[in-house]
Amino acid sequence: STMNTSVSNHSLHNHSSSNNFFSSIGRVVLAHRRIVILIWVIVFLAGGFAASRVVNRLSYNFATPGQPGYVASQKILQHFGNGGQNAPAITVIAGVDSSNSSTVGAALEAVAKQYPSIRFVDSFNAPGLDLLRHGNEVVYLFTGPPTSLAPSSLPNQITAALAHDLPSLHVALTGETELAAAGKSSGLGVLAETIVAGVGALAILAFVFASVLAVIPLVIAAVSILATFLILLGLSYVTQVSFVVEFLVSLIGLGIAIDYSLLIVTRWREERGNGLANRDAILMSMATAGRSVALSGVTVGVGLLALIVLPVPLLRSTGIGGVLIPIISITVVLTLLPVLLSLIGERLDWPHRRIARSGSPSWHRIGEIITGHAWPSLIIAGGLVIVFALPVLGIRLGQDQATSQSSSTPASVAYHSLLGTGYTAGILTPLEVISSPAKAAHIDTILHTVPGIVASALPAGRSGTRTGLADTIAIPNVETVNSATFAPVNAVTSLAKHDPSIIGVSGLGANDLDSAHAIYGQTPLMLAVIAILTFILLSTALKSIVLAIKAVVVNLFSLAATFGILTWFWQSGHLSRLVFGIPATGAITFWIPISIFAFLFGLSMDYEVFILTRIREEYGTFGSTRTAIVNGLSRTGKLVTSAAIILFLAFASLASAPLTDIRVLATGLGIGILVDATIIRGIAVPALIQLFGRTNWWMPTWWSEFGNKQTTT
């Protein structure tokens, strides 16, 4: 204890006497406490106002600008006002025969006049599509672009009107969007999800601190979240802000702000337990844990570059919103938290059960076991990672299959009735092939020769031709929603490249193919850039080439394990039905893996930074790798575990959202955090550091000198 106290005092002297940027921040905010609190109170109140306004300004744009399917979709919307990249709704009229066919046709004509914004395609205006089979009439309802997560209400209204006009026939509504939305509850809502996660986080914090001090990280998180919403409101007037950002800011923002607060408050308590005065303990925490927080936030930001540079508005705005989370959390933590600790920290640290000066005894023992049995520990951790990662070899990218939806909903019943009467699954995902009206007959003819296309036709009248553009409908033999079912889409788009009479190809399948190209076309280069930036950042901060390389490589293994579990959980359906009551999705939506990579790459680096910076600090004091690992784990093991559980609770709360895609995203992030904080950072990382020995600390002289300059400025 005496040695630890002297070390802490010596370290404080060094940090205080040098021009340490983070301790300087501490001095400034402590000297202007009233101003700091006033500023953040104003931001908090303004953020509360902004949070209620930004929801109405969120974008539901799934565009992929510059991609051929999107360009064709925009032409269709320009000429027809509907259709394009969204799959049509489908009204199914059962019981149609020669005795009532004219009545059905008259009812469709009347409803079409009542809803001029909707394009109707049926067996009456497009007999070549073979939409009437065994008494089932399929009516395509092409609608405009979505304006919310909920499907358009117009198809329901049209279906109800037809049911009213055709009382002797059974009329039902189905379609890709309707199947995805059917049977889904409204969920808790973002506010309720955040409150639930906050309550869970408070319970973890109460266990960690065993004092009322547990409320301070929640206060920091509340200020950070509302401050982020305030900036998002301003950004919404400059650029699109995706609806996904609302969930991420509330729940990931909650977890990150609490994690960063937890790191500094834990270090503050440790220094107070070592005998430092309150102000000195705050400055010491800022100089050490504050630096780790800043480094962690930057690594999160680097990972999110993967989203910002993509030519997809949905993901770009998600990346921008994601970057705001660590930036604002760092700002609040480094300015408001020191002030709160100076004003009320000691009073809230009741009943004064401070962390033992030697760290966590449990994690001290774990550190000794791992360092004493490094090879067995690494083999166990590596074996688990490989087993978890294996399913990723069969991952499919795309949207949920119709068969993954509940089979008991009206939309699903209607869809399965179509399959039972001879329709192909591709009835849900027709392609739209556009041309000049003069070339439409030629295109219809050649589409009949394309492999995977079972029917095609140009609808008569305004349903197929408007303002000089013809829109020929083609039905594939499969539901074209993922990488395993794109063959018909590829065949038609390949035809379009060689036939100048085809202006473009659109539809859900073409849009999904666009998404695959836009998101993953430059992935190898993007991953390389992010890995290099992270390596430079960590090697400079940790003063070690080896530790930086290890961190990047280990992170990739951690991500592989996460994607493997996600594939097994959702795509194969081994746990999706048990946990969420949802059958196997058959694929993982395109934007989800890259989003998980972007967030998880940075979030998992948080824990790497927390652990390695402390191990590096202990090595600088004692000069022993094993002692540094054991002491570092004893100081950070409980912290990292608690932080991971808090983030997991946030993701578990996010998984209560009614949208399957959000649930898949939340599941991936939650699983990834647990795997990373336990198997990777808790076992593999300390085992590797022990095996590397003195090699861990190798650094070229010129780079080391550069790093020293950066540290002192």
Side-chain angles (χ1 to χ4, degrees), residues 332-383:
V332 178
V333 166
L334 295 183
T335 57
L336 181 59
L337 182 56
V339 173
L340 294 180
L341 290 177
S342 69
L343 292 175
I344 59 175
E346 291 187 294
R347 286 195 292 271
L348 291 181
D349 197 11
W350 176 86
H352 302 292
R353 291 176 56 190
R354 292 194 177 93
I355 298 174
R357 296 176 186 177
S358 59
S360 167
S362 298
W363 276 101
H364 191 278
R365 286 193 296 272
I366 291 173
E368 289 183 328
I369 292 172
I370 293 174
T371 54
H373 305 82
W375 274 114
S377 298
L378 183 60
I379 291 171
I380 291 172

Side-chain angles (χ1 to χ4, degrees), residues 554-574:
V554 167
N555 228 29
L556 296 179
F557 278 99
S558 176
L559 286 163
T562 299
F563 289 135
I565 297 174
L566 192 69
T567 303
W568 184 81
F569 189 114
W570 282 102
Q571 180 178 302
S572 301
H574 292 293

Side-chain angles (χ1 to χ4, degrees), residues 442-498:
H442 161 70
I443 289 174
D444 183 30
T445 300
I446 60 175
L447 282 173
H448 281 85
T449 67
V450 175
I453 299 299
V454 298
S456 69
L458 175 68
R462 287 175 54 79
S463 294
T465 306
R466 293 188 193 181
T467 60
L469 191 74
D471 189 356
T472 300
I473 308 299
I475 299 177
N477 60 355
V478 291
E479 182 190 10
T480 54
V481 291
N482 61 55
S483 53
T485 59
F486 281 152
V489 182
N490 283 320
V492 175
T493 54
S494 177
L495 175 66
K497 292 177 183 178
H498 298 91

